[in-house]
Amino acid sequence: ESFQRVDGRLMCPDPSICGHADSLRACYPNEYAQFVEKGLTAISERKVAVLLMAGGQGTRLGSKSPKGMYNISLPSGRSLFQLQAERLLNLSRQASAKFGQKIFIPWYIMTSDHT
């Protein structure tokens, strides 16, 4: 099998298929601060937006809602959409503090007619 079954509905790819992914900070420790600076600058210049393609239903997961709202059993009870929103707000706050102005990152979520 090329996947690992988590439960009756959820499967994860076998790590041998995906390979090993390190964080950007681990892969480029000397350049990481520069990457962050460039990213925050782009956010402050309103050159960054996020498009989330969430058009499918979660029927294979036993849900009628978009997959981003599916309960993935985190201790916090937060959904994937909420986690994404919190990360975007955190980045917005970082850029706002750094550049002294209120900055928001536009977030577009595409869903289907069924969700």
Side-chain angles (χ1 to χ4, degrees):
E1 290 186 331
S2 62
F3 61 87
Q4 298 171 349
R5 192 168 292 279
V6 175
D7 64 23
R9 299 171 292 175
L10 184 62
M11 298 173 288
C12 292
D14 187 285
S16 66
I17 293 173
C18 298
H20 181 72
D22 281 327
S23 71
L24 200 56
R25 185 181 309 201
C27 290
Y28 301 96
N30 298 330
E31 296 92 349
Y32 183 75
Q34 183 181 1
F35 295 158
V36 170
E37 178 70 27
K38 284 187 176 196
L40 291 175
T41 299
I43 291 168
S44 75
E45 294 171 350
R46 289 153 176 84
K47 294 180 178 179
V48 173
V50 174
L51 173 62
L52 178 62
M53 308 299 276
Q57 289 179 274
T59 51
R60 287 179 288 178
L61 301 171
S63 173
K64 294 184 185 212
S65 300
K67 289 187 246 359
M69 296 174 64
Y70 181 72
N71 180 354
I72 57 172
S73 301
L74 292 174
S76 65
R78 297 182 303 193
S79 70
L80 293 173
F81 284 166
Q82 185 173 351
L83 292 172
Q84 182 78 31
E86 290 170 1
R87 288 179 175 170
L88 291 172
L89 281 171
N90 183 41
L91 281 171
S92 294
R93 288 178 182 141
Q94 286 181 46
S96 295
K98 181 170 181 58
F99 294 97
Q101 56 184 318
K102 200 76 160 164
I103 297 169
F104 296 98
I105 300 171
W107 186 24
Y108 302 94
I109 303 173
M110 185 214 73
T111 59
S112 69
D113 291 338
H114 302 289
T115 57

